[in-house]
């Protein structure tokens, strides 16, 4: 991919920007800064790529909820070919995106599961492949990353932080605020979903990243650009994410059971063919 060197330069600059803002926070509060540093170890930048033109379609943030499982916004990947809402993708059907990981690697990830329009969520599965920052060539470098945990304990007035991609703005990586409202029936594009409203700034860079409490737990997924006006600052609540992940696990389990069932059927057919062949050999020997 010809644009990888430019993308890597952007990743390096974003890393510097995050480090500068984190240093400012640590100077004001060492304990808060240490907690944020732990969270940042699980936060990635997400780049949706048109692989034919090799152009970046959109970008935002995401975070690990397992060592190889990343959550982000569906609207960041919705314009990619063959990506639709409410879908599970088997390996040969998956679209790829690029993640800028906390260790500044450009790692390939696959789109595995998408939610509905109201949830605006997607599951990405990291691969073992990274891209060389100078040539764009793939190499196999397995790596696991620390995962964040969810919390459903939220109240209006709680202090929160929105974490994500700074997009070059020194105050954009980490924004602080309070929960201003919790809505169980927030209308988004004609649907309803539980959301958390905050006066912490949600922007094009940290959308898809985690909204966290002061314990470093995820209480929501930052969401920007889904609804007009775009000045609304809110996150999809952790309860919605938890339900979404349960559906993903159920769908994955059904797929695995189906695959194992097909394998068992093929093994039974092979056994029957072997038995038939043995019977034929026995008959030939009797003759």
């Amino acid at each position: 991919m010809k644009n990888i060197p430019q993308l890597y330069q952007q990743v390096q600059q974003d890393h510097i920007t995050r480090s500068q803002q984190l240093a400012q926070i640590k100077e004001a509060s060492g304990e808060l800064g240490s907690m944020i540093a732990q969270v940042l170890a699980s936060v990635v930048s997400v780049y949706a790529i048109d692989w034919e033109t090799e152009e970046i379609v959109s970008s935002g943030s995401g975070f690990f909820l397992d060592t190889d499982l990343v959550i982000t916004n569906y609207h960041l990947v919705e314009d990619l070919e063959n990506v639709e809402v409410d879908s599970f993708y088997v390996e040969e059907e998956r679209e790829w995106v690029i993640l800028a990981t906390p260790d500044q690697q450009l790692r390939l990830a696959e789109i595995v599961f998408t939610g509905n329009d109201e949830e605006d969520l997607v599951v990405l599965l990291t691969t073992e492949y990274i891209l060389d920052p100078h040539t764009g060539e793939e190499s196999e470098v397995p790596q696991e990353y620390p995962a964040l945990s969810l919390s459903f304990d939220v109240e209006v007035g709680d202090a929160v932080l929105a974490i994500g991609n700074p997009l070059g703005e020194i105050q954009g990586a980490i924004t602080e605020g309070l929960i201003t409202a919790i809505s169980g029936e927030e209308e988004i594009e004609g649907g309803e979903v539980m959301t958390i409203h905050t006066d912490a700034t949600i922007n094009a860079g940290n959308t898809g990243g985690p909204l966290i409490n002061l314990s470093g737990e995820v209480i929501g997924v930052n969401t920007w650009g889904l609804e007009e006006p775009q000045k609304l600052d809110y996150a999809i609540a952790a309860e919605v994410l938890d339900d979404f992940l349960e559906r993903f696990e159920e769908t994955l389990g059904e797929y695995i059971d189906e695959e194992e069932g097909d394998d068992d059927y093929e093994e039974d057919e092979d056994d029957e063919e072997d038995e038939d062949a043995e019977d034929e050999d026995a008959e030939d020997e009797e003759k």
Side-chain angles (χ1 to χ4, degrees):
M1 182 175 167
K2 61 185 178 183
N3 294 327
I4 286 296
Q6 294 93 322
L7 176 58
Y8 188 63
Q9 287 180 359
Q10 181 180 332
V11 169
Q12 287 182 307
Q13 183 57 53
D14 287 340
H15 178 75
I16 293 171
T17 300
R18 270 190 295 268
S19 298
Q20 290 174 337
Q21 190 179 5
L22 183 59
Q24 292 177 354
I25 294 172
K26 282 185 174 180
E27 191 173 329
S29 172
E31 186 176 348
L32 178 62
S34 297
M35 181 275 289
I36 293 172
Q38 287 186 321
V39 171
L40 284 172
S42 303
V43 176
V44 299
S45 297
V46 179
Y47 299 94
I49 307 295
D50 182 328
W51 294 100
E52 289 188 5
T53 64
E54 299 187 352
E55 298 294 329
I56 297 174
V57 176
S58 63
S59 63
S61 300
F63 57 95
F64 283 93
L65 273 184
D66 204 339
T67 54
D68 60 353
L69 187 150
V70 171
I71 297 298
T72 188
N73 292 141
Y74 169 75
H75 76 262
L76 293 178
V77 301
E78 66 179 341
D79 290 331
L80 297 181
E81 189 176 2
N82 302 321
V83 175
E84 300 176 349
V85 294
D86 274 333
S87 298
F88 173 78
Y89 298 95
V90 297
E91 189 169 352
E92 59 270 16
E93 299 173 342
R94 295 173 186 169
E95 291 284 342
W96 287 24
V97 299
I98 296 176
L99 304 181
T101 55
D103 50 3
Q104 298 184 66
Q105 291 181 340
L106 299 178
R107 184 168 295 277
L108 293 172
E110 300 171 317
I111 298 172
V112 179
F113 188 68
T114 59
N116 55 47
D117 287 326
E118 294 79 39
E119 292 169 324
D120 194 33
L121 297 170
V122 61
V123 172
L124 307 176
L125 188 66
T126 60
T127 72
E128 296 185 345
Y129 297 97
I130 63 171
L131 300 177
D132 185 283
H134 306 294
T135 66
E137 293 183 1
E138 294 180 23
S139 59
E140 191 171 349
V141 182
Q143 178 69 44
E144 293 185 344
Y145 297 90
L148 298 178
S149 58
L150 301 182
S151 173
F152 312 121
D153 183 15
V154 293
E155 294 181 3
V156 172
D158 286 352
V160 294
L161 300 102
I163 310 289
N165 186 338
L167 292 182
E169 298 181 13
I170 193 166
Q171 299 303 326
I174 306 154
T175 62
E176 303 177 60
L178 302 174
I179 295 177
T180 57
I182 302 171
S183 174
E185 296 184 346
E186 180 67 21
E187 291 193 3
I188 301 177
E189 294 191 355
E192 296 178 351
V193 67
M194 183 177 179
T195 59
I196 298 171
H197 289 243
T198 176
D199 56 9
T201 302
I202 308 295
N203 53 45
N206 64 29
T207 189
L211 185 69
I212 64 170
N213 59 23
L214 296 188
S215 297
E217 300 165 318
V218 178
I219 63 168
V221 182
N222 304 329
T223 303
W224 181 91
L226 185 61
E227 182 181 356
E228 295 291 346
Q230 293 181 350
K231 292 181 180 179
L232 290 175
D233 294 317
Y234 67 87
I236 303 299
E239 285 91 339
V240 178
L241 174 55
D242 192 48
D243 290 342
F244 169 73
L245 290 171
E246 283 186 12
R247 293 208 318 274
F248 166 60
E249 291 173 359
E250 289 174 1
T251 304
L252 179 61
E254 290 171 359
Y255 169 73
I256 291 173
D257 289 344
E258 183 178 328
E259 287 294 293
E260 290 178 347
D262 289 342
D263 290 342
D264 290 342
Y265 177 74
E266 290 176 3
E267 288 178 6
D268 289 342
E269 282 195 327
D270 291 340
D271 290 342
E272 288 179 5
E273 290 176 1
D274 291 341
E275 288 176 2
D276 291 342
E278 290 174 1
D279 291 342
E280 289 178 1
D281 291 341
E283 289 177 3
D284 291 340
E285 288 178 2
E286 289 178 0
K287 293 178 181 177

